[in-house]
Structure formats: C-alpha cells, structure tokens
Amino acid sequence: MPNQRLRDSLLRNGFDFAQVAKATGVDPKTVERWITQNRTPYPRHRRTIASMVRETETYLWPDAIAPETKKEIAQSEVVQVYPHRHSVPQDVWAHLLDQARLNISVLVYSGMFLTDNPSLIKSLRRKAEAGSKIRILLGDPASREVARRSEEEGIGKGTLAAKVRNAMAFFKPLADSAHAEIRCHRTTLYNSIYRFDDEMLVNTHVHGFMAAHAPVLHLRRLSGGDLFETYAESFQGVWDDAKPPKW
C-alpha cells in the first residue's frame, strides 16, 4: 500500500520528489519508493521530512518508532499538568495565542470563558490576516449531547445551550468576515481542545464537574511522539463531521 499520509503531506506543502531528495541527500527514485511502496526512511531522513511538512514522524510512519521510544517521547510531550482549567495562568493562554502563526483550533461546547478576553476577536482577526488558519468548533445548542452535558454539570438542561448561543454570537463576526471557519458538532465531548500551532491545551472532562474545575494537559508536539497527534486527529474527526452553525 502506498503511504498516502506522506504523499498528501508533500502535496499540501508543495514539495516534489526532487526537492525531498535534495533535502535528504538521496535519489528521487528512493523518495518515490518511500511513497509508492511505503518504504520506511532512515531516522535522519524521517526527521528531515517531518520538519519540512510540519507533521510528526508517528503520523507519517505509524509503525517506524518502537513502543518504548514512543512512551519516552510521549512523556516529554507533556509540558505541564494543571489540576483545574482555572489554574492555567492567563499569561500561558496569552503566550500561546501570541506565538501561533499557522494553526489555531478550538473544540468546545461553549468555551464562554474565552469571551472574558475583550481583545480576543481582534487578535484572531489579525492572526487570520497574517495567514493563520482558524477553526472553531462549538456544540450544537439543539443537540442531545449539549443538553445531557448541561444536566451532568448540574446547571439545568437548557443552560449550556444558552451559553453556546452566546458563544456563537461572540464568534459570528469572525465568520462573517471570513477570518475563521466555525462549525457546530454533536459529539460527546470527552476533552476540550485548544491548539496553537505545535502546542495544545487539553481540558479533560470529568463527570459531574464543570470544565473549569477539570484538569488540563499542556502538550508540545515532538516529531517522534503520538500523544499530541492523538488529540490533533480527534479534533480533525470532530471537524469532519461537524456542520455550519444555524445562526
């Protein structure tokens, strides 16, 4: 089977066989075999290619890294563990937003705490104008999943749906100006995800607790790791099934 992930990553970034061959110091035919015959490059070549296409080695070659090594790298991907979301310092959020250049992705039900930042919309608009891809996933306020989560948090069946609608109104100017793409999802939300390029805050969800009182993982993507990649793929799966909001 061909390596479709490698093929798609090279195409998406505008690289051909010759460019990859020059960067890795191999023959273009070797690069072709890496794709068409799913041959696994040497580690130094994997690192070079992963850096070129801004993907992890484990995404491009899932079976290339030994489980023991993956475990060690996964531990290194964890920058910090916070016992509660409200204990994440504001300067961490500000730094992550400020340094993001390519990818800002948010997966929440409402994320109403984000609206406490009065300059957030302006910041996201500037990021979009500078070339950042901004994707925001909010819960579908009419969905059973949102209603159930609202009841589980002990705030009443319709409270979370009202928060989602408030969040939609907050982010709508970004969608209207084409500075962000916003979709609504109907998934059971196990984690809220906030991605800023190669760093991510993952707010785990705990039954009976509001998200602000649940733990947060601060992750940093490493080439040979798959912890960050696991959550990135989860986001993409929800994104693919989500629909445009009914404003």
Side-chain angles (χ1 to χ4, degrees):
M1 293 289 292
N3 189 331
Q4 295 293 355
R5 291 187 175 186
L6 179 56
R7 185 200 302 274
D8 291 346
S9 296
L10 293 175
L11 289 174
R12 187 168 62 252
N13 288 275
F15 294 120
D16 57 24
F17 292 170
Q19 290 170 301
V20 178
K22 183 177 180 180
T24 55
V26 301
D27 188 89
K29 286 292 184 182
T30 299
V31 178
E32 183 178 0
R33 285 192 288 271
W34 288 342
I35 296 174
T36 61
Q37 300 178 28
N38 201 13
R39 300 281 183 87
T40 302
Y42 289 124
R44 66 179 184 276
H45 297 150
R46 296 201 302 267
R47 290 192 291 270
T48 298
I49 297 171
S51 178
M52 290 174 67
V53 300
R54 297 184 63 84
E55 294 288 356
T56 62
E57 291 181 50
T58 50
Y59 173 78
L60 297 172
W61 302 281
D63 301 322
I65 300 175
E68 296 79 9
T69 303
K70 283 186 178 181
K71 180 180 178 180
E72 293 175 1
I73 296 173
Q75 292 173 344
S76 297
E77 285 188 291
V78 180
V79 178
Q80 182 71 48
V81 177
Y82 297 96
H84 313 289
R85 193 192 69 206
H86 62 70
S87 63
V88 181
Q90 286 302 310
D91 60 353
V92 170
W93 291 99
H95 169 72
L96 293 175
L97 177 61
D98 182 66
Q99 60 85 34
R101 296 290 181 269
L102 300 175
N103 185 336
I104 299 174
S105 301
V106 175
L107 168 61
V108 293
Y109 272 147
S110 70
M112 276 300 292
F113 77 98
L114 295 172
T115 67
D116 292 338
N117 180 356
S119 63
L120 179 60
I121 295 297
K122 291 181 179 179
S123 297
L124 292 177
R125 185 177 291 115
R126 285 196 300 270
K127 292 290 182 181
E129 290 171 347
S132 296
K133 182 178 182 180
I134 299 174
R135 297 182 296 174
I136 299 173
L137 274 166
L138 301 172
D140 183 340
S143 67
R144 291 179 300 173
E145 291 76 13
V146 167
R148 180 179 301 153
R149 178 64 184 176
S150 191
E151 290 183 310
E152 289 173 352
E153 289 185 356
I155 58 177
K157 185 175 181 179
T159 303
L160 183 54
K163 290 183 177 181
V164 174
R165 293 187 179 93
N166 287 340
M168 290 171 64
F170 179 80
F171 288 112
K172 189 174 187 295
L174 280 176
D176 290 344
S177 59
H179 286 104
E181 188 173 358
I182 299 175
R183 296 183 184 179
C184 287
H185 66 90
R186 287 174 168 259
T187 59
T188 299
L189 197 58
Y190 300 104
N191 303 279
S192 294
I193 297 174
Y194 308 87
R195 178 178 179 177
F196 307 89
D197 286 351
D198 290 337
E199 295 197 56
M200 181 186 292
L201 296 174
V202 178
N203 187 186
T204 65
H205 287 228
V206 180
H207 181 82
F209 287 79
M210 297 178 67
H213 303 298
V216 169
L217 304 177
H218 181 178
L219 306 179
R220 181 173 295 137
R221 186 186 203 187
L222 296 179
S223 181
D226 59 4
L227 182 57
F228 182 102
E229 196 63 44
T230 295
Y231 289 106
E233 291 189 21
S234 175
F235 178 94
Q236 189 62 49
V238 179
W239 180 262
D240 291 341
D241 290 336
K243 306 295 181 183
K246 295 179 181 178
W247 301 110

